[in-house]
Amino acid sequence: MNQLRKPPAYFKGLYEDSSFWSCCGLDGLSIVFDLPLDSIRSLTEEQKRAILHLLGYLASGEDCDLLARVVALQEVPAEERFHALVDLSFGLLPELGKDSST
Amino acid sequence: MKHTSSTKSPRGIYLVGFSGSGKSTISKLIAKKLQWRACDLDELIVERAGLDIPTLFSREGEPGFRLRESEALHAASSHGPFVIATGGGTVVRSENRNLMARKGWIIFLEAQAEVLHARIQRQLENCDTKAIRPLLDAVYPLDQIRSLKHTRQPVYSLADWTIHTDRLTADQVADEVIRAVHLLEHSREPAVLQDMVGVPRRHSLNTDLPPPIVVAAGAWPYQVIVGWNNLSSLGQQVKRVLPHTHRAAILTDASTWQQVGSTVEQSLGTEGVEVHVRKIAAQESIKTLAEVNAIYEWLLEIHFHRDDALVVIGGGAIDDVGGFAASTYMRGVPLVKIPTSLEGMVDTSIGGKTALNHPRARNLIGTFYHPRLVWTDASLLFDEPKEQQRAAWAEVVKYAMLENSLLREEPVGSSLFSLVTENLGKLAALEKGTLLNIIARCVALKAQVVASDERDFGNIRILLNYGHTIGHALETVMKYTLPHGSAVSIGMAIEARISVRLGLAGSDVATRQNELLTRLGLPTRLPEVPVDLLLAHINNDKKVLADAPRWILPTTIGRATVSSSVTQTDLLSVIRQSLHHD
């Protein structure tokens, strides 16, 4: 996957698809970011919400640097992408605790 | 599914199915053909909240969204006739299923994962960037659809009718739904099948056995099989649920293994599962991190693989330590539970809680981790020590006192309270039919609660703590010399009296409950303990909320409420009363 195949509109479309989230719940993050279902389910509720928040930032298209970093993650193995997303999303929720380890 | 017998007015239609199955489009087509009201549940949720669904997830998390979803479903179902396109996850919650079963026909629109993937791909190509659907053309997302769909399949299969939509146009599907509803409306009333959160199909033709109960909680739904003398079939079921399992690591105590070992080993061996056994003492002292570490070492020695099964045979402490080990080894390995105690069969083997003790507090350490299968052989209860078994009946009475609140409706047929009260002799004799019925009823109630409120965030699972606020405090004061069930029995007796004092329940509620407890050989009177110490422990209870314990107080037989309004004066008065008479 390269940047042309994952434009900001991709994340915006994903984030705004209500029926997708309604159906899949936060398990849907596995589909959005091409991750094994078990990896998403290993996270706490807060961590999953934080990654959803991250997706919201990507959807807004305002943070080009963040967007570039996430797009680049499509080229790395799933496990590396998973940990990177958890790290990138850490702290995005005001009430998140300090420990983001999975 | 529970059905009402009336066909005087048309029942509504609920369309259920995975994302991309066409529910929204087809609901509008059906409504147009029937001239009924169409409703898209997701749209209704957004309208009521004034926020889109991703924002709701972001702000309130998935539990918050699902609560709103249930409320919207209630609202949409309040006047008919209707065609409701539910969200893909609506049917997962048992309370939603129960409502839908009462108000309408549940029609499942099934499609293969590949077809769903292709439909979404076409949408991607056809839509503008604002309406891009997720799932691109890589193979991996198709695997994710399959995984998610697989976890949903057991609850989708509870529908009244399934339509395979792969080869049909939307119009054809709409016509099929209407035809199905017509057939259902004019069909003969089937024998009442209790929706025990489960697959209503019987796993055998033996009508003496309860059907499997599916617990739709955790990462995957799992079955609770309640049977009699059924250990010889264990291997087959384990292999069905865990087809990649080649090794079973069994945790149990010596006495239990002596009873059941040869049958279990043969049953698993017949299915090509290699059996390894570790015997540990069935006592509270094993619930330590050191014991768990020893289990890890053992699993390493036997080359336990992440697809193998950790099988816990026993009750209480073995269940706790085995569950914790399964939840943490390799970040989680398949767990199979075979409870051997009444308390395990009706309560602790379901629900997913594991617990270890810390030197400073009991059950301080733990995880939520569900098994892949719970296999109950009720005939094993003949070998359970009678005093331990008698104490466990307190948990059954607890379920009976909460039944309607947990089900959120009247049970079909006799209440659990009546069933127990009217069959005390049979229960004392461990009569097969009555015992299986009661165990299955309790399991179904617990399964319903767990599915609705797995992590104890809402006001449902907390109800199961009835009798436990006082019970836990009493256990601590008596340094755990009192059996847990006896402590809970006294706790329920006192908490019922509190409810009467507060005017929440009539005096007959406490009287009837306490009479039943007494007839079961359980205590309802507080032993001589330092009252101030008891009060101190009650106030330190983990359910304290803003300095006030949350009390579960019965209002009638079968119903209870959560209250933080119990004053120290109320508590002291009832405790003193409980010291002196029943």
Side-chain angles (χ1 to χ4, degrees), chain A residues 6 27 43 51 58-59 76 86 98 102:
Chain A
K6 290 263 179 96
D27 285 346
L43 298 172
I51 295 179
L58 299 174
V76 306
V86 172
K98 294 186 174 63
T102 55

Side-chain angles (χ1 to χ4, degrees), chain B residues 84-101:
Chain B
I84 296 177
T86 64
T90 306
V91 76
V92 173
R93 291 191 87 187
S94 59
E95 62 173 279
N96 294 343
R97 288 199 302 276
N98 286 337
L99 172 71
M100 292 194 281

Side-chain angles (χ1 to χ4, degrees), chain A residues 15 17 22-23 31 41 53, chain B residues 42 54 58 62 133 135 152 219:
Chain A
Y15 186 71
D17 193 322
S22 163
C23 176
I31 295 170
R41 286 182 171 175
H53 235 65
Chain B
D42 288 344
S58 200
E62 187 157 357
R133 293 297 292 271
L135 311 172
R152 293 286 165 80

Side-chain angles (χ1 to χ4, degrees), chain A:
Chain A
M1 288 279 181
N2 59 36
Q3 197 156 356
L4 288 175
R5 296 181 72 183
K6 290 263 179 96
Y10 166 81
F11 295 111
K12 185 172 164 57
L14 293 170
Y15 186 71
E16 291 177 355
D17 193 322
S18 289
S19 65
F20 171 73
W21 297 109
S22 163
C23 176
C24 302
L26 293 176
D27 285 346
L29 293 170
S30 69
I31 295 170
V32 171
F33 292 109
D34 294 350
L35 293 169
L37 184 58
D38 283 352
S39 66
I40 294 297
R41 286 182 171 175
S42 70
L43 298 172
T44 64
E45 183 73 18
E46 287 77 16
Q47 286 173 316
K48 288 187 267 190
R49 284 172 60 206
I51 295 179
L52 182 65
H53 235 65
L54 172 69
L55 180 59
Y57 275 118
L58 299 174
S60 72
E62 290 169 5
D63 191 333
C64 297
D65 177 55
L66 182 67
L67 180 63
R69 288 166 75 182
V70 173
V71 167
L73 286 176
Q74 305 310 309
E75 308 298 329
V76 306
E79 189 172 346
E80 197 178 323
R81 180 162 62 251
F82 170 68
H83 289 296
L85 284 168
V86 172
D87 289 340
L88 278 174
S89 64
F90 175 66
L92 288 183
L93 286 182
E95 65 272 32
L96 256 190
K98 294 186 174 63
D99 184 5
S100 68
S101 63
T102 55

Side-chain angles (χ1 to χ4, degrees), chain B residues 27-44:
Chain B
S27 69
K28 294 184 178 93
L29 286 172
I30 295 168
K32 190 175 174 187
K33 289 173 192 272
L34 295 177
Q35 296 190 329
W36 286 6
R37 175 174 58 90
C39 171
D40 183 298
L41 196 65
D42 288 344
E43 287 175 7
L44 182 60

Side-chain angles (χ1 to χ4, degrees), chain B residues 446-515:
Chain B
K446 181 78 181 275
Q448 179 123 337
V449 169
V450 169
S452 303
D453 185 11
E454 184 185 350
R455 298 294 177 109
D456 208 353
F457 290 146
N459 267 354
I460 303 296
R461 191 159 182 169
I462 194 174
L463 294 175
L464 298 182
N465 287 316
Y466 175 50
H468 287 63
T469 301
I470 303 261
H472 283 153
L474 190 55
E475 282 183 283
T476 308
V477 168
M478 296 191 67
K479 299 189 192 322
Y480 302 99
T481 55
L482 187 66
H484 173 72
S486 297
V488 169
S489 175
I490 296 167
M492 287 194 288
I494 294 175
E495 290 172 21
R497 290 188 190 113
I498 292 173
S499 191
V500 171
R501 180 184 166 91
L502 294 185
L504 294 174
S507 59
D508 64 300
V509 173
T511 303
R512 288 177 64 199
Q513 173 201 263
N514 295 348
E515 202 172 89

Side-chain angles (χ1 to χ4, degrees), chain B residues 17-314:
Chain B
F18 204 69
S19 178
S21 57
K23 300 185 293 292
S24 199
T25 304
I26 291 164
S27 69
K28 294 184 178 93
L29 286 172
I30 295 168
K32 190 175 174 187
K33 289 173 192 272
L34 295 177
Q35 296 190 329
W36 286 6
R37 175 174 58 90
C39 171
D40 183 298
L41 196 65
D42 288 344
E43 287 175 7
L44 182 60
I45 293 167
V46 171
E47 184 189 310
R48 285 161 64 94
L51 295 168
D52 59 37
I53 290 177
T55 305
L56 282 172
F57 267 93
S58 200
R59 288 192 188 181
E60 300 176 9
E62 187 157 357
F65 171 78
R66 295 296 172 199
L67 281 172
R68 285 183 180 272
E69 184 181 49
S70 294
E71 286 164 4
L73 184 67
H74 271 273
S77 307
S78 59
H79 54 281
F82 51 76
V83 185
I84 296 177
T86 64
T90 306
V91 76
V92 173
R93 291 191 87 187
S94 59
E95 62 173 279
N96 294 343
R97 288 199 302 276
N98 286 337
L99 172 71
M100 292 194 281
R102 285 202 313 277
K103 298 280 193 167
W105 301 109
I106 304 170
I107 311 294
F108 171 34
L109 303 184
E110 162 74 288
Q112 294 294 320
E114 288 82 352
V115 172
L116 295 178
H117 185 244
R119 277 189 193 149
I120 290 163
Q121 286 290 85
R122 278 198 296 278
Q123 244 176 313
L124 176 64
E125 287 157 14
N126 293 337
C127 289
D128 64 20
T129 53
K130 285 185 183 174
I132 286 178
R133 293 297 292 271
L135 311 172
L136 297 185
D137 54 359
V139 171
Y140 210 35
L142 180 57
D143 285 345
Q144 317 309 1
I145 300 176
R146 283 201 194 101
S147 290
L148 266 173
K149 192 168 175 291
H150 178 70
T151 65
R152 293 286 165 80
Q153 212 63 20
V155 286
Y156 288 145
S157 69
L158 294 172
D160 295 299
W161 202 277
T162 296
I163 294 173
H164 294 271
T165 65
D166 297 350
R167 293 171 178 265
L168 303 179
T169 64
D171 205 61
Q172 287 171 332
V173 174
D175 287 338
E176 276 298 293
V177 171
I178 293 170
R179 188 183 76 89
V181 167
H182 178 80
L183 283 169
L184 287 166
E185 288 280 355
H186 293 88
S187 60
R188 205 156 39 103
E189 192 67 31
V192 173
L193 294 171
Q194 300 243 1
D195 175 9
M196 292 189 277
V197 201
V199 178
R201 295 187 298 275
R202 294 188 181 276
H203 71 291
S204 78
L205 292 176
N206 185 347
T207 54
D208 290 337
L209 297 175
I213 300 153
V214 170
V215 183
W220 45 73
Y222 61 95
Q223 286 193 341
V224 180
I225 308 288
V226 179
W228 190 269
N229 228 355
N230 59 357
L231 283 176
S232 56
S233 308
L234 170 71
Q236 213 173 43
Q237 192 75 358
V238 167
K239 206 63 181 171
R240 191 185 72 77
V241 171
L242 301 169
H244 303 296
T245 289
H246 297 296
R247 200 175 283 108
I250 297 181
L251 278 178
T252 187
D253 62 275
S255 165
T256 300
W257 189 245
Q258 194 168 21
Q259 279 173 254
V260 307
S262 59
T263 309
V264 168
E265 198 159 9
Q266 188 171 13
S267 178
L268 290 167
T270 305
E271 299 298 324
V273 177
E274 186 183 298
V275 169
H276 298 264
V277 183
R278 180 179 176 86
K279 294 171 205 163
I280 53 182
Q283 54 202 39
E284 194 67 17
S285 59
I286 64 161
K287 286 171 54 175
T288 63
L289 287 168
E291 183 65 45
V292 172
N293 198 52
I295 294 171
Y296 296 155
E297 293 292 332
W298 172 60
L299 293 175
L300 281 165
E301 274 166 27
I302 64 172
H303 305 292
F304 190 85
H305 188 265
R306 70 178 308 146
D307 287 335
D308 292 327
L310 187 62
V311 181
V312 174
I313 310 179

